[in-house]
Amino acid sequence: MSDRPNILYIITDQHRADWLGCAGHPVVKTPNIDKLAERGTRFTQFHVTTPVCMPNRGAIFTGRYPSVNGLRHNGLPLPADANTFVDILRDAGYRTAAIGKSHLQPFGHVPAVRADEERVANEHFPEAKKPDGADYAHEHPSNYETGEMFEFPKPYYGFDHVRMVTHHSDQCGGHYLQWLRSKSNNWACYRDRNNQLPHDYTVPQAYRMKTPEELYPTSYIKEEAKAYLAEQKDSEDPFFAFVSFPDPHHPFTPPGKYWDMYDPEDFDVDLPYEAHKNPPPQLARWKELMDQGEVPTNEQQSFMASTQQVKEAMALTAGMTTMIDDAVGEILESLEAAGKLDNTIIIFNSDHGDYMGAFNLLLKGPFAHDSVNRVPFIWVDPTQEGGKTADDLAASVDIAPTILERCGLTPYYGIQGRSFLNQIKGGEGARDFVLIEHEENKVYPGLDKRPNMRHLVTDTHRMTVYKDLDMGELYDREADPNETKNLWDCPESVAAKSSMMFTLSQAMLDAIERGPWPKHFA
């Protein structure tokens, strides 16, 4: 195998770690992803660096915490001056491609606003940093209104080849929408939710759209990935291909046969709201809203649903997941047809999880739980024996240094992640804890201000602290793996709480930007 392996990085959006056949899910079918686990190493304790899409993707690409790299929450861009591990791969001669959802820049119409609007800024120097003059509108809908495919500046965060997909499920935009318009005169009809097919599902955001399977975003990304891999057949240069699916993120819109591939009655809600012995304020408030029949008008707001509605969401999510798995199978066939399979590292991952029924919740939000913080991660390396699991802690911020070490490349100064390459080789992990930074961009039920949190995960406990709020959470992950009893105020947990507080302080110090030392102190 070459010292410079190809890398095929496949990522899903909002996908729980246990929602794979190889992870023990009893219903959802993912045979192609399961085969990757058979050929590689599946991590069982892989956590996000933040359970929010944009900042976690920023952490993946930079190897730096959101509080340091600048992409702290959704709605902010990754600063143009941020280096990524893709930049280093490209500089080393890799051909680089991003196919699908990037989400390193905002892709909606809502402008960013300051969280501290009550403060008065200096008229001439309103911000702490001078404007960098960069254009952060490359993923904005206005770029994709014409029939001519929008050309990205090269490189785009290290990528030379970009096929952009923005938003989620059936409402995706970007290059996908331009492609859809070129493929069908009925494209607007397919996307009109007033024109959906009849169904009897009651869960909010379940839409049975008329979009054919072959015109759904998952299929577009699949075909673009296959075409890119075919182009690599005669190339002597290694490639890095980031293939990013917007599913199984809500809304719940599996097309064609995937809509009714699963029966809601085949699923169980094994962690209902009543399982939590002392729910925190946001969880209790979500329950009140559900009992009052209130559903958020903002489709990105998490909510609590009835058992039947949760089971419906599970069935539709399973359909979206299996569609991705089918696409993965075809992509892998194209990789093999190009003659690159034996010299390619394959990664399967997700940017964050989904409550998917935990305490009757759906989506994600400012209530920390294993279902949103722990994600799938599989690493297939042709030089390593397959069929293994890695059970030590690892995190999204660790991906960049691991890829660079595996490729024999020196990282830039300031990477904060820790390589887990030793775990892939069968050794111990590099972490005793995972720090999860979690800053939301809006106020949620049960909380009177925009939540800013830090979660600390160890082998034995999970702790959450809230900025400016007199509350906290502490769970014993060994005795209570489902996190159903908050031990924050329990006298018998004083020692554990004190130990976790000390570890959290060390973790937060470790996450601070490191400055260079003066030469005479080196």
Side-chain angles (χ1 to χ4, degrees), residues 124-435:
H124 302 288
F125 301 93
E127 300 290 345
K129 290 184 177 181
K130 297 178 176 65
D132 61 13
D135 182 1
Y136 293 112
H138 295 108
E139 301 187 28
H140 193 272
S142 60
N143 291 315
Y144 309 97
E145 293 175 352
T146 67
E148 185 176 354
M149 295 293 279
F150 174 68
E151 282 293 327
F152 271 75
K154 306 289 175 47
Y156 186 68
Y157 297 106
F159 292 106
D160 281 324
H161 176 90
V162 178
R163 290 293 180 267
M164 180 61 62
V165 178
T166 60
H167 289 286
H168 307 106
S169 61
D170 66 300
Q171 300 295 304
C172 285
H175 287 141
Y176 160 73
L177 182 54
Q178 292 182 302
W179 171 85
L180 179 63
R181 291 193 191 109
S182 72
K183 291 292 183 180
S184 175
N185 293 328
N186 292 324
W187 68 270
C189 172
Y190 295 150
R191 295 165 67 88
D192 184 355
R193 288 178 175 166
N194 294 317
N195 194 35
Q196 63 174 308
L197 296 168
H199 64 85
D200 57 1
Y201 279 56
T202 62
V203 63
Q205 302 191 45
Y207 304 109
R208 189 171 192 178
M209 308 304 292
K210 295 182 178 180
T211 309
E213 294 169 24
E214 64 273 14
L215 296 182
Y216 191 75
T218 296
S219 295
Y220 169 75
I221 294 167
K222 174 191 68 178
E223 294 302 327
E224 287 292 329
K226 289 166 60 178
Y228 181 81
L229 293 174
E231 292 173 1
Q232 310 312 307
K233 182 175 183 178
D234 298 323
S235 174
E236 295 183 1
D237 296 326
F239 68 82
F240 172 75
F242 183 74
V243 179
S244 179
F245 294 100
D247 279 4
H249 191 290
H250 64 282
F252 311 111
T253 60
K257 68 174 180 284
Y258 297 102
W259 174 272
D260 52 11
M261 180 173 282
Y262 293 91
D263 187 337
E265 297 311 310
D266 291 337
F267 294 85
D268 293 318
V269 180
D270 53 6
L271 192 61
Y273 170 78
E274 291 75 18
H276 206 297
K277 299 175 177 62
N278 50 348
Q282 60 271 49
L283 193 57
R285 180 56 180 155
W286 274 320
K287 177 64 163 60
E288 292 176 357
L289 291 174
M290 182 186 72
D291 290 343
Q292 294 166 10
E294 295 189 30
V295 178
T297 56
N298 183 345
E299 286 195 340
Q300 303 310 315
Q301 281 267 22
S302 46
F303 61 95
M304 195 172 290
S306 69
T307 295
Q308 179 59 32
Q309 290 175 330
V310 169
K311 292 166 71 172
E312 292 172 0
M314 288 177 170
L316 297 178
T317 298
M320 297 163 82
T321 303
T322 295
M323 185 176 190
I324 292 172
D325 185 80
D326 288 343
V328 168
E330 291 193 37
I331 291 170
L332 295 178
E333 289 176 358
S334 295
L335 180 67
E336 186 171 16
K340 301 293 184 179
L341 182 63
D342 294 336
N343 192 33
T344 299
I345 291 168
I346 305 168
I347 298 169
F348 181 82
N349 186 211
S350 185
D351 59 357
H352 55 79
D354 188 306
Y355 294 124
M356 199 49 60
F359 305 115
N360 279 92
L361 289 172
L362 291 172
L363 318 188
K364 64 185 184 297
F367 168 63
H369 188 258
D370 185 73
S371 54
V372 292
N373 287 337
R374 192 166 61 89
V375 291
F377 191 88
I378 300 170
W379 178 292
V380 179
D381 195 317
T383 68
Q384 300 295 323
E385 182 181 348
K388 300 182 298 183
T389 59
D391 301 318
D392 289 342
L393 294 167
S396 300
V397 74
D398 302 329
I399 293 171
T402 305
I403 289 176
L404 293 177
E405 182 183 3
R406 175 62 184 83
C407 295
L409 298 173
T410 304
Y412 40 76
Y413 184 82
I415 275 190
Q416 297 168 305
R418 306 176 185 181
S419 172
F420 49 76
L421 190 60
N422 192 51
Q423 283 180 265
I424 295 168
K425 295 178 179 179
E428 294 183 353
R431 291 191 168 277
D432 295 322
F433 58 80
V434 167
L435 173 66

